[in-house]
Amino acid sequence: MPKTVLMVVPVVVCAVFSISFAATRSHVPAEVHLPPGVMTNLNQFNRDHIKANVRFLSLDLLEGRGTGQRGGDLAAEYIATQFLLYDLKPAGDNGTFFQKVPLVGITPAPETTFELVPRKGEALRLKALDDYVAYDQTEQAANDIDADLVYVGYGIDAPEYHWDDYKGADVRGKVLLMLVNEPTSNDPNFFKGRALTYYGRWTYKYEEAARRGAAGAILIHESEMASYPWDVVRNSNSGEKSFLKVDSQQLKAAAWIQLAVARKLAQDSGMDLQKMMEEAQSRNFHPVTLPVKLKAHMASKIRQFSSNNVVAVLPGSDPKLKDEAVMYTAHYDHLGIRPEMPGDNIYNGARDNATGCGILLELARVFAQSPARPRRSIIFASVTAEEQGLLGSEYLGKHLPIPAGKISLDLNFDDIPPLGEPEELEISGAERNGFYPTVESLAEEFRLAIRPDSHPEAGHFYRSDHFSLARVGIPSFSINEGMKYKHHNLEWGMQQAEEFTNKHYHQPSDEYSPSMDFTGDATIARFGFAVGWAAASQPKLIEWQKGDEFEKARLRSQGAAR
Ligand SMILES: [Zn+2]
């Protein structure tokens, strides 16, 4: 089956493609259509190459590709070597493929104490990991906090939705208690209805609190609102956590507390948590200073280190447009080794994200070996520290080889299941930019249905590397398989997804197996190739839809770039 598919599909795609663009897609510029020479490129994608790369990158020898660790560095060297073998141009620091990302690792030390002290009654000494998690982001070895708690509802200031939980309150030096997520609504014009905007993400809440000079921020964890259980908070907030080295204002305590702790805290304040949560739903909400202080001694182990993004470029063929680019990204880092863990303690990260790297490398190879070239340049970036909070891509977004305003599109690949031939695509967020009609047409030509985001409330758009690039204005999205696979019903696909999430996601058992079928990974690579080529060849740069939350960043980047 796969061999014939490889031979037949491109021919079919080619024929149907030109007809449909010419005849039925008059709104799509004619230049979008891929020349026949490019179509033959689709034949070059080889699922066995992807498989070989996934196998290598997820070997135990690679030690889970931990950020700033030997295994991670080996993976980066491997990817850079492939780029070199493909004859791509280095686009990192000083003529190399490496872009050094300065990081700082912060580990909460056992001397840390975290106490909620009510004006009346007994202090509540919280137990690390069970009751709370907290990081001191200031890169100091020790800090003391003795500050009033101020409940700020959702902690959101969103002028475009006429929503401001702060109401001008001076929160400098205070510790802000807040809810995750955003005010509940089904109105698509109000925080995008059920879908999550960036305002709902915990990262935004910490950033906003820091911008306002708060000493700390404590998020109340509630499984449904967060869309993940406490275990996820606990696991991703234990041990060393990495941050980009920054010079802006940071929090002495960036924390989460368990719902039960919040309930007790409200009680001790003579309040009712349920009622507090309801009050936060109102536009008229005002910050409330609670009769409780946070008394904390934040002790941290600080480790300065660095890790590399691996960046290459294929120069475009058009003397004018080659100063502009289309970018492909996939993170290579994973969780490394947990030496204290008994049994298998290597987080191989075969799916997450050796698969994305395998696809990125195959794209780089086919682009580089193509007899024809797209008009714009193509950037290939395998980024680091994704698992640490999209840090490598954040750094890349701030230090791009071509200015953000001149990058038309970023296509990201993260965790592409090796489950055979998909009949669906998941490209949530693609509809937010003006290129979507072309993307839809291409999906049609590839006979791939576009699966709507089944959990818009989970805010997946803000959880992968394309988001770092959207933040600096670049239209961007991730390409993945949907749930329906050839020769299987939809339920099978959903079962596979659920089983992976429950048993293998961010576990040492996310391992390579020779029985994995990379046909779909190759399909995703081909589709990504067609989309990227079309974007790199059309006359105009891609822009966000009017009113999109990233439109402002785009305009800002282009003011500077042009
Ligand atoms: Zn990932």
Side-chain angles (χ1 to χ4, degrees), residues 331 352-353 386-387 414:
H331 77 87
D352 187 7
N353 184 31
E386 189 269 357
E387 307 289 7
D414 194 351

Side-chain angles (χ1 to χ4, degrees), residues 456-479:
E457 71 283 3
H460 289 296
F461 191 79
Y462 311 100
R463 295 196 199 174
S464 198
D465 287 310
H466 62 259
F467 169 58
S468 294
L469 301 151
R471 285 184 92 173
V472 296
I474 303 170
S476 53
F477 58 95
S478 285
I479 302 179

Side-chain angles (χ1 to χ4, degrees), residues 30-45:
E31 286 85 341
V32 163
H33 114 164
L34 309 182
V38 174
M39 281 306 176
T40 59
N41 277 319
L42 294 180
N43 274 322
Q44 303 305 313
F45 283 90

Side-chain angles (χ1 to χ4, degrees), residues 11-22:
V11 179
V12 173
V13 166
C14 177
V16 181
F17 193 82
S18 9
I19 292 164
S20 80
F21 272 117

Side-chain angles (χ1 to χ4, degrees), residues 80-99:
T81 303
Q82 300 306 309
F83 285 165
L84 181 64
L85 292 172
Y86 305 153
D87 249 341
L88 292 171
K89 269 180 57 183
D93 306 332
N94 313 314
T96 71
F97 288 107
F98 292 137
Q99 177 181 61

Side-chain angles (χ1 to χ4, degrees), residues 106-109 111-113 135-145 251-253 296-302:
I106 300 177
T107 314
E111 312 89 89
T112 298
T113 57
Y135 282 81
D136 180 345
Q137 301 181 330
T138 63
E139 300 173 17
Q140 304 291 314
N143 254 318
D144 285 292
I145 303 172
L251 300 173
K252 289 180 189 170
H297 175 68
M298 302 294 296
S300 311
K301 232 172 58 201
I302 310 293

Side-chain angles (χ1 to χ4, degrees), residues 511-523:
E511 286 175 315
Y512 168 81
S513 144
S515 66
M516 286 172 165
D517 182 349
F518 289 85
T519 311
D521 295 74
T523 300

